[in-house]
Amino acid sequence: MAEVEQLSEELTTLKRVVQTSLHRGLLAKGVHEVCKAIESKQAKFVVLADDCTEETYKKLIVALAKQFQIPVWRVEKGALLGEWIGISKFLTKTKKIKSRKCSSVALKDFAIEVSENEKQFVEDKIKGL
């Protein structure tokens, strides 16, 4: 039960960090932008979906991140990332019309709205990756 709560807290915090960074223009999304952010060493960390169907895509992101020593935070579903960055279509707040996946995003910097506790939580988590 504690593991589920911890996982939920991790995803909630990650979601908030990703969404606030997106609204401030501090998030790279898609293979081209993520690779560019990694190669230019702008990325603090990368979030990669495990259910990405393109294996070469995942290998490229992981290899680049390893080469430039950027941590990779893995999430189970790309649809979750798609929801966080706003590419899924909703009829209402709870009723989804179309689920669209996003395979990876790279956080360039923390938005000013992110609290110190959230920032510290994410930094501690990515140190362990």
Side-chain angles (χ1 to χ4, degrees):
M1 188 73 163
E3 276 184 36
V4 172
E5 288 177 13
Q6 182 182 359
L7 184 62
S8 177
E9 180 185 344
E10 284 180 13
L11 288 178
T12 304
T13 304
L14 180 61
K15 176 183 177 179
R16 176 159 161 65
V17 169
V18 166
Q19 287 180 333
T20 54
S21 296
L22 172 71
H23 296 299
R24 291 287 179 185
L26 302 170
L27 193 73
K29 49 197 178 299
V31 68
H32 181 72
E33 287 184 26
V34 170
C35 288
K36 227 165 94 172
I38 292 171
E39 290 173 341
S40 64
K41 296 183 181 179
Q42 290 180 329
K44 292 205 178 283
F45 66 92
V46 174
V47 182
L48 181 65
D50 282 335
D51 69 344
C52 176
T53 57
E54 193 65 43
E55 286 299 317
T56 55
Y57 180 93
K58 289 197 303 191
K59 287 179 184 176
L60 172 67
I61 298 294
V62 170
L64 271 177
K66 187 175 182 179
Q67 179 182 353
F68 290 96
Q69 298 172 343
I70 295 173
V72 177
W73 190 328
R74 293 183 175 263
V75 294
E76 276 187 42
K77 300 185 183 229
L80 194 61
L81 275 179
E83 284 179 29
W84 292 354
I85 65 170
I87 61 174
S88 293
K89 305 287 183 194
F90 288 88
L91 184 59
T92 63
K93 285 186 177 183
T94 56
K95 187 174 180 183
K96 192 184 313 180
I97 295 173
K98 185 175 184 180
S99 181
R100 294 184 61 198
K101 293 181 181 180
C102 177
S103 295
S104 66
V105 296
L107 186 90
K108 295 179 187 176
D109 203 0
F110 292 98
I112 57 173
E113 294 88 2
V114 176
S115 72
E116 283 300 315
N117 289 340
E118 291 170 326
K119 187 176 178 180
Q120 190 62 46
F121 179 82
V122 170
E123 287 175 345
D124 290 346
K125 174 69 178 171
I126 62 177
K127 284 179 186 174
L129 296 176

